[in-house]
Amino acid sequence: MDAAVALAETLQSSAFGAWARGSSYAYPAANLIHLLGLAMLVGGIGLLDLRLFGAFRAIPVAALWRVLTPIGVAGLLLMVPSGFVMFAADAGALAVSDTFRRKLMLITLALVNAGAYRLAWRRRLGDWDATAPWIARALALTSLLLWLTVAALGRLIAYT
C-alpha cells in the first residue's frame, strides 16, 4: 500500500474525517466555501489574466493587479481548508483517484506559474497598459487555462 494512500485512509478514519463525512453541516459548508473561494480565485486572477492577454485595455494593468490579486489570494486561502475538509471525508478514494491527482498536479503548476509571473513581471506591469509582451500574455493564458482546468477536474471528481 502506498504511504500516501495509507495516510489518507488514516485521515478518513480519524475523528476529523468522521466529522467531515457525518456532520449535516461540515461537508456542505466546506463545499460552499470551496465554491466561493473558486469564484474569488478564478474571478480575480482570471480577470487579471484576461487583461494581461489583451482584454479591458482601458483599465491600467497595475491598478487591476492591486485590486484583483488580493481577491484571488483570499479565494485560494478559503479553498485550502475547505478542500481539506472535503478531502478528509473521502480521503481513501481520493488518494487513488487519477482525476484528483491530476487536479493537485495542475494546482501545483498554476501556483508555480503565478509565483514565476510575480517574480519576473511585477515591476513591469505599469509599462503594459497598451500591450504586454508575448511571453507575459502566454503565461496569463496558461494561468487562466490551468485554473479553469483545475475547476473542471474538481467537478469531475464526483463523477469518476
Side-chain angles (χ1 to χ4, degrees), residues 34 38 41 76 79-80 83 99-115 143 146-147 149-151 153-154 157:
H34 206 69
L38 177 66
L41 174 67
L76 184 62
M79 292 178 77
V80 170
T99 305
F100 182 73
R101 288 181 180 201
R102 284 186 190 105
K103 178 184 173 183
L104 293 182
M105 181 186 70
L106 291 181
I107 289 170
T108 302
L109 288 173
L111 291 173
V112 167
N113 182 61
S143 170
L146 282 170
W147 287 119
T149 304
V150 164
L153 288 173
I157 288 170

Side-chain angles (χ1 to χ4, degrees), residues 111-131:
L111 291 173
V112 167
N113 182 61
Y117 205 96
R118 183 172 180 83
L119 289 173
W121 301 104
R122 186 167 187 236
R123 291 191 177 128
R124 298 179 184 166
L125 292 175
D127 300 335
W128 295 350
D129 287 337
T131 303

Side-chain angles (χ1 to χ4, degrees), residues 1-103:
M1 181 181 294
D2 184 59
V5 174
L7 185 60
E9 289 176 353
T10 301
L11 174 63
Q12 180 177 325
S13 63
S14 72
F16 183 76
W19 170 78
R21 191 173 45 261
S23 167
S24 297
Y25 300 105
Y27 195 93
N31 204 340
L32 287 173
I33 291 168
H34 206 69
L35 183 59
L36 173 63
L38 177 66
M40 292 170 66
L41 174 67
V42 175
I45 299 306
L47 286 173
L48 181 59
D49 288 337
L50 287 171
R51 172 58 186 97
L52 290 169
F53 194 66
F56 322 119
R57 290 189 179 172
I59 303 170
V61 173
L64 203 57
W65 180 288
R66 280 191 304 276
V67 171
L68 294 179
T69 298
I71 293 170
V73 169
L76 184 62
L77 292 175
L78 286 174
M79 292 178 77
V80 170
S82 61
F84 186 73
V85 170
M86 292 189 301
F87 177 76
D90 196 23
L94 290 172
V96 296
S97 165
D98 287 335
T99 305
F100 182 73
R101 288 181 180 201
R102 284 186 190 105
K103 178 184 173 183

